[in-house]
């Protein structure tokens, strides 16, 4: 099994994916253990002083004015975890919980939090055992970190609350720890607060969304190319020299992908045949511009994610010179903005794909295709309602594109009076990515059927490879009306698992 070694820095997006989705084991480096011990020494020294230090010998948030006596500090750390584990709603996905736990461990190991080495080792042990705390949908405002989600994780480290075992069964966390020989942690000064104060949930979801979207944007280039073929459009608009004079990198990459997919097609270039067209509709002609803008948005989001992965997000933090200072680095605005930006790009990509699908089904705009791609129009409805489903998904995506980060709601008696709502932005982006997959699956279903209905003209080798693969995956081709939901579900899985891209790349080589 793959192992991820956590040091004081250098965690990558690939590491996050390996732990969250791949079940990779975690080891703590000697460098990290030394940094943990050194920072803990600073916290212990401050705890012994009579002067109050936030997070070490005081209360939290609006209660930070109270100095806590030494005999109450362990109780204080337990209490902050218990009281902050106040999430509600459905359970969050296992991969999200594993990502946020791993990212909190990454910051703990930076040596800036003051957490003892044994607490960090317990975090690694819980992940390695396949124990996943029960985390709920609601409870984070994306400021002071993802407080409630991280608190539910910290509760598991204490042997309290519920968690899911490696067999998928939810049980008391204490029982699961005992079965795996893991001793519950007894939190000391600052440790409870350090386990809760981070942007780890929203960052983990951003990293996973970027990985999914990298595949989906390639899929969108393929489905757009299929639709262009099916509509007998021209591929001249994809010429590199046209995109060179508007040098957005994403646009050039999408155009290059479409051109590679369409190489050798007999279906392109017929826009001057029976019903001459000067140019194709925007949804076809501007596909690289729209998909390319989304790709460039992803590039910006990836830069933000890389910076956040290199960060130590906590409050207060232990600095190399021995100071323990309060700060606002836990504010989720940088991550929240790009999560919202991606949701906008996803909605627009889905919208242009839906417009192409609608064009394929309309006999007045499809250039010779049967109405709704039906076998016997009137007796058969063809793909009419498949497009309805796609339109419903796009409408939902437009609602999900409304920025969560434009909102702020005060909390903690106005101490935390401006929040990022980054967790909410991440949650709706996950739904948006899920729905984009379905939208592209419907376009694939319609475009592949339409291409097969163009008798006498051969598609490009790459698009033919896609059609052959999707048919082998259980998605049927043209014919009389049938129960459509299973076909659409099979197309969804085909796109979701990256098999559309794999099929095409057997012909084109790696797409950009």
């Amino acid at each position: 099994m793959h192992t991820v070694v956590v040091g004081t820095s250098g965690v990558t997006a690939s590491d996050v994916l390996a732990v969250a989705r791949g079940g990779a084991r975690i080891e703590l480096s000697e460098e990290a253990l030394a940094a943990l011990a050194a920072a803990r020494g600073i916290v212990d020294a401050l705890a012994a002083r009579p002067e109050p230090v936030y997070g070490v010998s005081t209360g939290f948030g609006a209660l930070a004015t109270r100095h806590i006596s030494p005999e109450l500090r362990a109780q204080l750390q337990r209490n902050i975890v218990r009281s902050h584990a106040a999430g509600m709603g459905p359970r969050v996905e296992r991969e999200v919980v594993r990502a946020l736990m791993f990212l909190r461990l990454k910051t703990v190991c930076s040596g800036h939090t003051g957490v003892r080495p044994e607490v960090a080792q317990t975090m690694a042990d819980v992940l390695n055992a396949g124990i996943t705390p029960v985390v709920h949908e609601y409870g984070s405002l994306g400021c002071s970190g993802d407080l409630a989600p991280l608190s539910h994780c910290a509760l598991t480290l204490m042997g309290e609350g519920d968690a899911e075992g490696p067999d998928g069964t939810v049980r008391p966390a204490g029982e699961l720890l005992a079965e795996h020989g893991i001793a519950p942690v007894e939190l000391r000064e600052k440790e409870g607060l350090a386990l809760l104060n981070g942007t780890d949930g929203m960052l983990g979801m951003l990293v996973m969304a970027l990985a999914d979207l990298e595949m989906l944007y390639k899929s969108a280039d393929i489905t757009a190319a299929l639709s262009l073929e099916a509509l007998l459009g021209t591929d001249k608009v994809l010429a590199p020299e046209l995109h060179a004079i508007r040098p957005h990198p994403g646009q050039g990459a999408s155009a290059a992908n479409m051109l590679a997919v369409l190489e050798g097609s007999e279906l392109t270039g017929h826009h001057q045949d029976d019903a001459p067209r000067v140019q194709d509709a925007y949804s076809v002609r501007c596909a690289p511009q729209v998909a390319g803008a989304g790709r460039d948005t992803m590039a910006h989001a990836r830069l933000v994610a890389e910076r956040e992965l290199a960060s130590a997000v906590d409050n207060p933090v232990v600095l190399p010179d021995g100071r323990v200072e309060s700060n606002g680095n836990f504010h989720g605005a940088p991550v929240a903005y790009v999560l919202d930006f991606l949701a906008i790009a996803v909605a627009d990509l889905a919208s242009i794909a839906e417009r192409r699908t609608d064009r394929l089904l309309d006999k007045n705009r499809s250039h010779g295709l049967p109405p709704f791609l039906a076998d016997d129009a009137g007796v058969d409805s063809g793909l009419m309602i498949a497009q309805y489903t796609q339109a419903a998904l796009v409408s939902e995506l437009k609602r999900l594109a409304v920025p969560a980060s434009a909102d702020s709601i005060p909390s903690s008696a106005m101490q935390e009076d401006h929040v990022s709502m980054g967790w909410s932005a991440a949650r709706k982006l996950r739904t948006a990515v899920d729905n984009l997959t379905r939208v592209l699956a419907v376009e694939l279903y319609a475009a592949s059927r339409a291409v097969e209905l163009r008798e006498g003209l051969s598609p490009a080798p790459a698009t033919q490879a896609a059609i052959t693969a999707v048919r082998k995956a259980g998605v049927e081709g043209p014919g009389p009306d049938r129960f459509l939901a299973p076909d659409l579900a099979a197309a969804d899985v085909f796109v979701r698992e990256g098999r559309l891209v794999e099929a095409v790349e057997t012909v084109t080589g790696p797409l950009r």
Side-chain angles (χ1 to χ4, degrees):
M1 183 180 292
H2 180 60
T3 298
V4 172
V5 178
V6 181
T8 57
S9 62
V11 165
T12 66
S14 295
D15 293 333
V16 177
L17 294 170
V19 172
R21 291 179 167 173
R25 290 189 59 79
I26 299 163
E27 292 181 5
L28 307 185
S29 71
E30 292 300 323
E31 173 198 31
L33 292 170
L36 284 159
R40 185 65 208 179
I42 294 171
V43 170
D44 285 341
L46 289 171
R49 294 181 182 177
E51 302 87 5
V53 178
Y54 178 70
V56 176
S57 53
T58 71
F60 309 111
L63 303 177
T65 54
R66 178 176 172 183
H67 183 249
I68 308 298
S69 59
E71 65 273 11
L72 292 176
R73 289 177 190 169
Q75 181 181 341
L76 169 69
Q77 299 301 320
R78 288 194 301 271
N79 285 351
I80 189 176
V81 172
R82 290 167 174 165
S83 65
H84 285 43
M88 295 182 73
R91 283 180 58 196
V92 170
E93 303 85 357
R94 182 176 185 270
E95 66 177 17
V96 173
V97 179
R98 286 184 62 82
L100 76 90
M101 283 188 71
F102 173 68
L103 288 167
R104 183 79 316 229
L105 175 60
K106 176 268 298 183
T107 284
V108 163
C109 288
S110 70
H112 290 293
T113 68
V115 170
R116 288 170 295 149
E118 49 264 45
V119 176
Q121 186 60 58
T122 302
M123 296 172 75
D125 291 343
V126 168
L127 283 164
N128 289 341
I131 298 170
T132 307
V134 171
V135 173
H136 299 279
E137 181 81 18
Y138 303 106
S140 173
L141 300 179
C143 201
S144 291
D146 291 318
L147 286 174
L150 284 163
S151 298
H152 283 275
C153 294
L155 200 66
T156 293
L157 299 178
M158 292 166 49
E160 301 180 19
D162 293 326
E164 179 186 296
D167 63 353
T169 303
V170 174
R171 296 166 53 197
E175 291 181 11
L176 289 167
L177 294 186
E179 283 184 8
H180 289 84
I182 301 172
V185 297
E186 294 285 344
L187 298 177
R188 288 169 50 179
E189 290 94 344
K190 194 184 179 302
E191 290 180 333
L193 186 61
L195 294 176
L196 316 185
N197 235 321
T199 56
D200 309 293
M202 63 184 92
L203 175 58
M205 285 185 274
L206 173 59
V207 168
M208 288 186 284
L210 285 169
D212 293 338
L213 288 172
E214 183 175 358
M215 180 272 294
L216 288 174
Y217 268 80
K218 292 178 184 178
S219 301
D221 292 339
I222 295 167
T223 60
L226 267 165
S227 291
L228 186 151
E229 273 194 310
L231 292 167
L232 304 178
T234 177
D235 59 356
K236 290 183 177 180
V237 296
L238 304 173
E241 56 269 27
L242 292 175
H243 298 278
I245 61 175
R246 195 191 191 196
H248 293 287
Q251 176 180 324
S254 285
N257 283 347
M258 289 182 65
L259 203 57
V261 172
L262 291 169
E263 186 176 356
S265 175
E266 295 180 0
L267 288 161
T268 58
H270 294 277
H271 59 296
Q272 294 294 325
D273 289 353
D274 296 336
R277 286 167 277 157
V278 174
Q279 51 196 6
D280 291 319
Y282 285 8
S283 59
V284 178
R285 188 176 8 134
C286 302
Q289 284 77 9
V290 172
R295 286 170 172 271
D296 291 341
T297 301
M298 287 169 57
H300 171 59
R302 195 172 289 111
L303 176 62
V304 171
E306 288 169 356
R307 290 170 176 166
E308 198 74 0
L309 285 167
S311 302
V313 179
D314 193 16
N315 180 48
V317 291
V318 180
L319 296 173
D321 61 7
R323 288 180 294 148
V324 176
E325 296 285 0
S326 292
N327 66 92
N329 283 344
F330 49 72
H331 200 288
V335 184
Y337 290 169
V338 294
L339 288 162
D340 279 331
F341 198 174
L342 286 171
I344 292 169
V346 164
D348 200 35
L349 184 64
S351 178
I352 197 170
E354 183 275 331
R355 288 293 80 204
R356 289 190 295 264
T357 304
D358 180 68
R359 184 166 288 271
L360 289 167
L361 305 188
D362 183 354
K363 70 172 185 177
N364 296 311
R365 295 178 291 140
S366 66
H367 311 291
L369 291 169
F372 303 104
L373 307 181
D375 186 62
D376 184 5
V379 174
D380 293 316
S381 295
L383 306 190
M384 180 190 294
I385 308 304
Q387 186 267 331
Y388 281 33
T389 299
Q390 191 186 43
L393 289 163
V394 170
S395 184
E396 174 71 7
L397 282 163
K398 292 174 182 176
R399 292 189 290 273
L400 291 168
V402 176
S405 58
D407 185 31
S408 175
I409 189 163
S411 56
S412 192
M414 293 299 287
Q415 176 72 5
E416 298 168 8
D417 59 350
H418 183 83
V419 297
S420 77
M421 303 307 296
W423 173 273
S424 299
R427 296 305 295 165
K428 68 184 183 67
L429 178 60
R430 278 184 72 84
T431 303
V433 171
D434 202 32
N435 284 348
L436 172 63
T437 310
R438 297 185 177 103
V439 168
L440 295 178
V442 176
E443 184 181 17
L444 170 64
Y445 188 45
S448 61
R449 177 183 283 206
V451 166
E452 289 180 309
L453 290 170
R454 295 290 190 187
E455 296 179 357
L457 295 171
S458 298
T463 53
Q464 183 60 64
I467 293 169
T468 300
V470 78
R471 296 290 172 258
K472 288 181 179 178
V475 181
E476 296 187 33
D481 279 357
R482 56 183 171 268
F483 182 20
L484 274 189
D487 274 4
L488 296 177
D492 177 25
V493 172
F494 184 75
V495 173
R496 192 176 300 275
E497 294 182 348
R499 285 188 278 158
L500 173 61
V501 175
E502 289 175 6
V504 166
E505 287 184 337
T506 60
V507 177
T508 63
L511 296 175
R512 292 169 59 182

